[in-house]
Amino acid sequence: MDSLKQVLEANRAWSERMRAGDPGFFERLVQAQRPELLWIGCSDSRLPPDQIVGRLPGEIFVHRNVGNVVVHTDLNCLSVLQYGIEVLQVKHVIVCGHYGCGGVRAAASPEPLGLIDNWLRHVRDVHVAHRAELEAIADPVARENRLCELNVVAQVANVCHTTIVQDAWRRGQPLAVHAWIYDLADGLVRDLGLSIESAAQISQEYRVG
Ligand code: CO
């Protein structure tokens, strides 16, 4: 484990490398950020969004929490969505989960972890909602992986059910919400093939306005 001194030295070296490669890089970023992507991902240290998709600072607006959960009363996540969509005018919202997610595993287990069990209740609800499909999968790793995918799909729906996203669509703002999942084993992101770009694609019960 690096000491904090080493961490700060690494930052200095990174800053120098960036300046050497592009002398105007930081000066441009000071002016404004114009990210086209809004990333909602897990807090897990093994999937830093910018690095795994080869983006530079300024290219992805990010919200992370344990289990990449989108809760319709979470002021933190909603604020990121609202600012990203209405002010920064991002074109894509990506919910990216990952296989081997400790939060998802905990949500499917009876073992208590503490306060976080309350947060992970949202993932447990996904588990309960898809109990039949999940119980039909014999291999425990495959079953957990499927829950990781179903959680991403559920959170994409939660993004689309917000008034923020639906207001954007009503204004005619181009905005697509995507379901991706990252595999820790090979460093690859898989597109789960779900892209929602209009209110017509969401359940009637959740349409507002
Ligand atoms: Co995780």
Side-chain angles (χ1 to χ4, degrees), residues 42 44 98 101-102:
C42 185
D44 194 304
H98 67 109
C101 181

Side-chain angles (χ1 to χ4, degrees), residues 42-44 47 66-68 98 100-104:
C42 185
S43 297
D44 194 304
L47 50 148
V66 176
N68 41 269
H98 67 109
C101 181
V104 169

Side-chain angles (χ1 to χ4, degrees), residues 1 5 17 20 23-24 28 35 46 55 63 67 75 78 82 84 92 99 112 121 139 157-158 166 174-176 186:
M1 178 61 190
K5 188 163 175 281
R17 276 199 310 278
R28 286 198 306 280
R46 296 167 291 181
R55 299 295 96 184
H63 177 75
L75 193 58
L78 292 179
Q82 189 256 322
H92 302 276
Y99 297 127
R121 238 301 297 279
D139 176 50
N158 288 344
Q166 294 191 46
L175 180 69
D186 60 14

Side-chain angles (χ1 to χ4, degrees), residues 99-176:
Y99 297 127
C101 181
V104 169
R105 187 174 304 144
S109 158
E111 295 300 317
L113 289 178
L115 173 76
I116 196 167
D117 293 321
N118 298 283
W119 177 251
L120 293 175
R121 238 301 297 279
H122 298 290
V123 184
R124 193 173 289 271
D125 289 344
V126 177
H127 185 234
V128 171
H130 297 275
R131 188 193 301 273
E133 178 189 341
L134 292 164
E135 283 181 353
I137 303 171
D139 176 50
V141 175
R143 193 186 314 126
E144 183 187 294
N145 285 350
R146 182 59 183 149
L147 180 55
C148 291
E149 293 175 354
L150 290 168
N151 181 50
V152 172
V153 171
Q155 306 316 325
V156 162
N158 288 344
V159 170
C160 296
H161 296 163
T162 62
T163 55
I164 300 156
V165 168
Q166 294 191 46
D167 286 348
W169 285 332
R170 200 175 306 106
R171 289 193 301 270
Q173 183 177 336
L175 180 69

